[in-house]
Structures are given as C-alpha cells and as structure tokens.
C-alpha cells in the first residue's frame, strides 16, 4: 500500500491500523523527514515500510516516485491519497495563486497519482484507490478553495469508475468530519460537542479501521462512493459557525 501525506495526523492512524493488519506501507510525503518518521513508527510496530519524498503537485516528482516504487516493490495494489492542504481563506482573501495551490494539492494531486499508479493496478487485475476527501466536499463550507477541491475529488472518483470498468480496481472517497489532527483549530473542536450528534471528534485510527474494511472482500462492491465518517454532522445542521464578514 502507498499513502501520500504519510507524515500527517490522519495518516498516523491509517498507518498504524494497516501496519497491524499486515500491509507493507510505502510512506510518501513532500516532507521527507515526516515520511521517514512515519515509516520508522511502522517498523517499530513490527510492520514493513519504506519512505520516499513526493510532491503530488509535481508531474516530475510523481513520475520519479512511480519509477522508484516499481524498482523497489514492483508496483502497488492500494493507493491512499491522504496528502491535503487547508487554507482558511474566504473568497475575498484568495488570489489566483492561493486558490490554485489548494486545488493543486487536493484535486490535481490525487488525479496525478491515480493517472500514474492506476494502470499498473488495472494490469494486475485488482486494486483499491482510497481518496481522503472531506465533508467539506459535500456541503457548504466557509473556505471555497478547500470545498471546491474536495467536491472535485468526489466527482473525479465517480467518473474514474468508467476508466477502471471491469479491471478489479475500485475507487472510493472517505469523507471525514472533524478528525483529531493538527489541521483542526480549537474553535472547530469546541463546536463538535454542541453540533455533532455523536458529540465525538473522530480518531484517525477510526479512519484506518474503515480503510481496512474497504480493502477486504466484504467491500468489493463499494465503488465510487462518498463514505461519510462525521458522526452525522452533515445530515442535521451546519457544522461551522465561521462566516465571512465580506458580503454581510
Ligand atoms: N483533520 C481533519 O479534520 C480532516 C477532515 C476531513 C478531511 N481531511 C483530509 O485528510 C487528509 C489528511 O489531513 P490531516 O488532518 O492529516 O492533515 P496534516 O496537515 O496533518 O497532513 C497533511 C500531510 O500532507 C502533506 N502534504 C501537503 N502538501 C503535499 C504535497 N504537495 N505533496 C505531498 N504531500 C503533501 C503534508 O506534508 C502533511 O504531512 C487531507 O486530505 C485533509 O484534507 C482532514
């Protein structure tokens, strides 16, 4: 299994659960030191792992990663796109480049990774692509670049089913609500008890356990889905009080 953004908080939970389940985990991140630390942690748990740098916004970097992984592992069967960027900017605070930067990591990044790793999985006749999207891609959200990137990722996923038709490769989005990582600011954490029906912030390991299920035989017919893990927040009310002042 290869994971992008391996050094992040969500990946820590995913890595731990899947390493314990016996998966070899190829840790990749734009921050090589963070990928190496994640890989070391997996080995500390008795798992198999290796670390590589990758900037998912760079074609050259991703092509280099494909070559390195092909050389060292002969390919992959599971791709988890977890690299992500949240820029807390409202419409009026964005410029072209700040908007593009978020789209570049959260949408173009998974597209590039799937484009380069997907054909190998299809050739093998089995594969699982898991994109870490967000509830922000399924409902109104204060930060438009993040919301647009994750909504784009969801529909990219649905559309890719046609490309992978009959190949044994499925593509799904896991859409977490508020997960206990450094990406989440205190104000949002404070809202969870009041606004999430289960009153829980999601543990990154819950995301790992869910992905473990998605990799199993029982999940073989789950394909092209937005799979929410948000305690029900999105279904019942607005999670975020954060509203821009600009047009009020
Ligand atoms: N934390 C949450 O509440 C939450 C909720 C829903 C979705 N998500 C999504 O989950 C994923 C992981 O988020 P997290 O909370 O662990 O954040 P994080 O900031 O802890 O981790 C993100 C990781 O992505 C890496 N990264 C950033 N740009 C990159 C690039 N160009 N190439 C390769 N790697 C890059 C970072 O170095 C970092 O290690 C993201 O896609 C995020 O949007 C998070």
């Amino acid at each position: 299994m290869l994971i992008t953004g391996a050094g992040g908080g969500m990946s820590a939970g995913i890595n731990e659960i899947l390493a314990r389940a016996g998966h070899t985990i190829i840790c990749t991140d734009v921050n090589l030191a963070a990928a190496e630390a994640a890989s070391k942690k997996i080995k500390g748990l008795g798992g198999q792992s290796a670390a590589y740098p990758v900037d998912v916004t760079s074609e050259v970097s991703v092509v280099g990663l494909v070559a390195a992984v092909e050389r060292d592992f002969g390919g992959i069967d599971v791709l988890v796109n977890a690299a992500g960027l949240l820029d807390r900017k409202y419409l009026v605070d964005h410029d072209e480049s700040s908007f593009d930067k978020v789209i570049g990591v959260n949408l173009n990044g998974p597209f590039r990774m799937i484009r380069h790793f997907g054909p190998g999985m299809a050739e093998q006749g089995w594969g699982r692509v898991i994109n870490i999207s967000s509830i922000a891609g399924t409902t109104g959200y204060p930060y438009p670049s993040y919301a647009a990137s994750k909504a784009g990722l969801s529909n990219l996923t649905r559309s890719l089913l046609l490309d992978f038709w009959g190949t044994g490769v499925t593509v799904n989005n896991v859409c977490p609500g508020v997960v206990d990582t450094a990406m989440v600011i205190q104000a949002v954490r404070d809202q969870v008890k009041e606004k999430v029906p289960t009153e829980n912030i999601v543990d990154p390991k819950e995301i790992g356990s869910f992905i473990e299920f998605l990799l199993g035989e029982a999940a073989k017919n789950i394909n092209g889905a937005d799979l929410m893990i948000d305690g029900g927040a999105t279904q019942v009310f607005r999670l975020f009080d954060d509203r821009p002042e600009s047009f009020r």
Side-chain angles (χ1 to χ4, degrees):
M1 166 187 137
L2 186 148
I3 184 164
T4 68
M10 184 127 24
S11 295
I14 298 170
N15 293 344
E16 180 174 337
I17 296 293
L18 292 172
R20 288 191 196 283
H23 291 271
T24 296
I25 303 184
I26 302 169
C27 293
T28 72
D29 203 294
V30 71
N31 178 345
L32 178 59
E36 284 173 341
S39 187
K40 197 172 162 197
K41 207 168 157 197
I42 291 164
K43 288 177 185 160
L45 295 169
Q48 303 281 322
S49 182
Y52 300 87
V54 75
D55 177 355
V56 297
T57 68
S58 158
E59 181 75 6
V60 171
S61 178
V62 170
V63 168
L65 177 67
V66 173
V69 168
E70 187 65 38
R71 180 194 64 216
D72 298 344
F73 293 90
I76 60 167
D77 54 2
V78 176
L79 169 63
V80 178
N81 284 307
L85 187 63
L86 169 61
D87 192 356
R88 291 185 181 82
K89 281 192 171 70
Y90 305 127
L91 175 68
V92 292
D93 303 321
H94 265 302
D95 55 28
E96 294 284 331
S97 103
S98 63
F99 190 86
D100 286 351
K101 193 171 172 194
V102 176
I103 301 288
V105 176
N106 295 359
L107 177 57
N108 298 5
F111 162 74
R112 188 170 287 116
M113 290 294 293
I114 298 166
R115 190 163 71 83
H116 287 292
F117 281 100
M121 289 193 235
E123 256 171 51
Q124 287 167 196
W126 191 92
R128 295 286 175 267
V129 178
I130 314 286
N131 297 315
I132 307 298
S133 187
S134 167
I135 58 171
T138 68
T139 184
Y141 185 76
Y143 312 120
S145 56
Y146 191 74
S149 68
K150 296 298 190 180
L153 186 55
S154 290
N155 216 32
L156 172 69
T157 293
R158 285 188 276 277
S159 304
L160 291 180
L161 304 193
L162 302 174
D163 290 86
F164 288 111
W165 192 289
T167 63
V169 178
T170 62
V171 191
N172 286 293
N173 284 319
V174 172
C175 303
V178 180
V179 184
D180 193 7
T181 78
M183 193 181 262
V184 179
I185 56 173
Q186 192 57 45
V188 171
R189 289 170 185 269
D190 292 344
Q191 288 176 32
V192 167
K193 267 216 155 324
E194 190 192 333
K195 298 196 160 190
V196 174
T198 57
E199 302 184 7
N200 289 322
I201 192 162
V202 179
D203 186 317
K205 282 192 261 189
E206 291 174 56
I207 308 294
S209 297
F210 188 58
I211 292 176
E212 184 186 359
F213 166 74
L214 288 177
L215 303 187
E217 178 69 9
K220 70 179 178 199
N221 281 307
I222 300 177
N223 200 11
D226 279 335
L227 302 158
M228 318 289 281
I229 307 183
D230 69 342
T234 319
Q235 301 304 324
V236 287
F237 37 50
R238 292 181 64 243
L239 178 59
F240 300 95
D241 282 337
D242 199 0
R243 281 181 292 161
E245 296 290 335
S246 37
F247 298 115
R248 277 198 256 164

